[in-house]
Amino acid sequence: MTPDDDGDLMLRYARGDMRAFETLYSRHRAALYRYLARHTRNLETANDLFQEVWSKVIVSRDRYEPRAQFRTFLYRIAHNCFIDHYRRAAVRHESNGGEDGWESALPGSDQDRPDTRAEQAQITAQYRAALAALPAEQRDVFLLYESGLSLDEIATINAVGMETAKSRLRYAVAKLRATLAPMAEAFPPNVAAMQERGA
Amino acid sequence: MTHPERDDEFEAFLKHRTVLPHGVSVDDKLEPPHALDEQVLRKAREAIHADKQSQRAPRWAMPMAIAATVLLCLSIALNVSLNTNRPVPEQQRLTVANADKPVAESRADDANVLDSISVTATRREVGDERKAAGAANAIAQADTGSADGIDGAKSTAAATGRARAESVPDAKLTAVRPPVLADAQSPAFGSVAAPEANELESVAVTGTRRAAKSKSEGYMQPAERSAAPALPVPSAAAPAATALPSAPAPASGAPAAASASHPLDPGTWLKQIDALRAQGRTGEADAEMQRFRAAFPKYPVKPGAGGQSAATPDPPAR
């Protein structure tokens, strides 16, 4: 997958090629959904925002210009959608009360043992708590970086300088590590998982 | 100032993109539900269909375009057909100098005939009488040279000439038959009494009425003299003039008929009649007198004199 391919697919969709959109959607649907789910911590809200983001992509197909990567374009829309949602939720005083057990929606592995599943749930709960405790800007930068975007792209999406984005990311990582350090000691390193991530 | 250990941790995060312990993943398998996928794809598909429908021309566009095209073509054709049967206004603005040259040369087609007629009208407007006579002479010259192509020109010129003759307010103006038209009574031209010839004649006469005035004063263009060898001189041309077959003229058009065969004003005409009488040609003088009466019924003539001494306002010095 190359960025040019994404831009080209979007242009083809703007000319009426539905298959191009299907390809584009299949490439980005999961990462975008995870980003929104982590941000909102509510699957129902994530579903709404996910649909809203793609609706805006569809509507803006005629105005799309491949000046930047399509991923930057997509996540900028998602970022703005989330900010709008965050403002609406703040007005309704629902920002802290909308969480659900979204990790329960994850498909479980057959190889997972019950004890392992319980440990995972514990780590996930701590991780979510630490993530929620982050300031919104730092959380956003962190989630965007986890989604695979570069610091340059994150700076573009947040309309800040690259150093600012990097600084926010540094603070977010430090806070999360501080929260999750005891858990890290409890879990031995998984070499296979590290190789899978390209380490 | 950053801690060295924290820098290492941050670099590790930048590399692995996760802060979770090794092997722990929170939501790596999280994906949108299938129903949500269907909803997004359906929306994208509908947007494409809506685009195609909006880009398609409405059902009435094609018939409307065809009707507009046909209407435009018809209006253009009608405009062209109407404008080809009348002189173009720009042609009337031709200068005399420019008109004299091509008139005699390009007489073959009817359009040039119209040009010359228009030029004649222009000359009348500018008052250049001598050049108007020359142009009429040239018209007649060309007419005698191209008997085949003259019919259309004659008919067109007749219509124009009639219209202009009606528009001339001076009913007493004595028109002169163009000298070349006298030549035009050659066999190639046909009879003078032929309607077409008469019409052309009237056109030329109309175009050269004022030129005739100058002729009556004794002036004649060199071109006219060369083109009209049989031009009747007032003194000697009376027999020739009377020898011409006179076309029957209606009562209302009597002056026009008389003016077509007698180039003179009443006083001069009476002088010619007197001259005929003096020569002993009484019959011809009487016939001329009758024509004179028909042409100028109210012109005062001394009674009993038989036209010998016309009591004209300007009596001739005898």
Side-chain angles (χ1 to χ4, degrees), chain A residues 69 71-72 144-145 148-156, chain B residues 17:
Chain A
Q69 292 189 14
R71 192 170 53 180
T72 308
L144 286 172
Y145 194 80
L149 277 74
S150 67
L151 280 172
D152 193 22
E153 290 173 318
I154 293 170
T156 303
Chain B
R17 291 181 184 263

Side-chain angles (χ1 to χ4, degrees), chain B residues 75-87:
Chain B
S75 63
I76 290 173
L78 185 64
N79 192 20
V80 168
S81 64
L82 288 177
N83 284 336
T84 49
N85 291 332
R86 64 183 179 191

Side-chain angles (χ1 to χ4, degrees), chain B residues 122-162:
Chain B
T122 305
R123 288 171 187 142
R124 193 181 306 145
E125 290 172 4
V126 299
D128 194 344
E129 298 160 353
R130 291 180 294 176
K131 292 196 175 184
N137 194 3
I139 292 170
Q141 273 184 327
D143 285 344
T144 55
S146 59
D148 293 337
I150 196 102
D151 290 340
K154 280 192 286 188
S155 58
T156 307
T160 309
R162 276 195 298 269

Side-chain angles (χ1 to χ4, degrees), chain A residues 13 18 21 25 29 33-34 37-38 50-51 55 61 106 120 142 145-146 148-149 170 173 177 190 199, chain B residues 7 9-10 13-14 16-17 22 25-28 30-32 36-37 39 41 43-44 47-48 51:
Chain A
Y13 170 63
M18 188 58 201
F21 181 81
Y25 180 75
R29 56 186 278 279
Y33 189 74
R34 279 196 293 272
R38 285 175 183 174
F50 182 81
Q51 196 171 344
S55 295
R61 64 191 181 280
L106 298 176
Q120 286 265 6
F142 175 80
Y145 194 80
E146 264 203 331
L149 277 74
R170 183 190 297 273
V173 168
R177 282 201 181 276
N190 189 332
Chain B
D7 283 345
E9 289 175 354
F10 184 63
F13 169 77
L14 291 179
H16 302 303
R17 291 181 184 263
H22 303 300
S25 60
V26 175
D27 54 357
D28 282 351
L30 188 64
E31 286 193 351
L36 193 57
D37 288 342
Q39 208 166 350
L41 292 174
K43 199 171 281 186
I48 292 296
D51 270 359

Side-chain angles (χ1 to χ4, degrees), chain B residues 237-257:
Chain B
T242 54
L244 287 173
S246 59
S252 60

